[in-house]
Amino acid sequence: MKFKMAEKSLFAVLLRSPWWISFALAGGFALASKALLPPDYVVFGAIGGFPFAVIGVIAAWRQFSAPSTAHVEATLAQIAAMPWRDFSAAVEQAFVRDGYEVQRLNTGGADFLLRKAGQTTLLACKRWKAARLGIEALEELQAARLAQQADSALCITMGELSDKARQFAAQQQIRLIGATELAQLLRPVLAQRAKT
């Protein structure tokens, strides 16, 4: 069990790392196999590096398809200037575009109920402009999640999170969507709106 957890976390770290690190590890497996194994077994040892090569391909694709820093900052400036009505409409459109059924909520703690593949998710995003998000907003989201019996919870914020809020989110498995991920989520919607 511990090995599987370590393996998952290693691959997660590699996905966030520069793509060439994964390819270097795959190459290291091949070189170590050639140096340490009998000639008949070199191929089998080198195959051990295959998962790292796959992670390298995925990481390279993500990194090359990611928007530039300047583009992300421009998108974030546009998002920060939006009133709630426009921002909430853009968020709703983005999740519908990603295949979710979206329902607006008038209750405290959460702004949207998202449904996809039999799973329900509560989304809180009304405090997206807050410079610093405290634990109170996440406690309200968690209370709404329990009341609605939702499977998961998301919170969108462009600001920093307090240490207590970050710990609470980790303990309650509340997924946080920060500024960069928010810019990537809304970029297609904002681009489409600019064309019309």
Side-chain angles (χ1 to χ4, degrees):
M1 181 70 172
K2 286 183 181 178
F3 176 74
K4 284 188 177 181
M5 293 285 286
E7 186 179 76
K8 284 182 185 177
S9 62
L10 172 63
F11 288 150
V13 168
L14 288 173
L15 281 171
R16 293 188 300 268
S17 301
W19 59 269
W20 58 266
I21 292 176
S22 297
F23 285 115
L25 288 170
F29 261 87
L31 290 174
S33 298
K34 188 170 184 177
L36 301 173
L37 295 175
D40 294 342
Y41 297 101
V42 169
V43 172
F44 298 109
I47 289 175
F50 181 73
F52 295 103
V54 171
I55 294 293
V57 169
I58 294 169
W61 179 81
R62 282 184 178 180
Q63 290 164 23
F64 290 124
S65 64
S68 68
T69 304
H71 198 279
V72 168
E73 288 175 6
T75 305
L76 289 174
Q78 186 179 359
I79 292 169
M82 297 171 87
W84 165 249
R85 186 191 65 196
D86 294 342
F87 176 74
S88 63
V91 168
E92 184 175 357
Q93 190 177 349
F95 278 100
V96 167
R97 188 175 183 274
D98 286 347
Y100 288 88
E101 177 189 330
V102 180
Q103 175 187 342
R104 287 180 181 256
L105 298 175
N106 294 323
T107 59
D111 304 301
F112 295 100
L113 177 67
L114 311 174
R115 288 189 183 91
K116 185 176 182 180
Q119 298 289 308
T120 58
T121 302
L122 285 186
L123 171 63
C125 55
K126 208 167 258 176
R127 301 182 194 184
W128 88 98
K129 288 186 187 184
R132 188 165 176 86
L133 190 68
I135 193 171
E136 301 83 16
L138 297 179
E139 288 174 335
E140 290 174 13
L141 176 58
Q142 180 62 11
R145 176 185 181 180
L146 294 173
Q148 294 271 353
Q149 297 181 343
D151 298 302
S152 58
L154 294 171
C155 182
I156 290 176
T157 179
M158 289 173 49
E160 291 183 29
L161 268 78
S162 69
D163 291 338
K164 283 186 177 181
R166 195 171 295 283
Q167 289 171 359
F168 184 81
Q171 289 168 354
Q172 301 301 326
Q173 297 181 337
I174 296 172
R175 186 169 154 239
L176 302 169
I177 297 179
T180 303
E181 190 176 354
L182 176 61
Q184 292 175 341
L185 175 70
L186 295 187
R187 184 174 60 138
V189 173
L190 298 178
Q192 184 179 7
R193 287 184 177 188
K195 290 177 185 176
T196 57

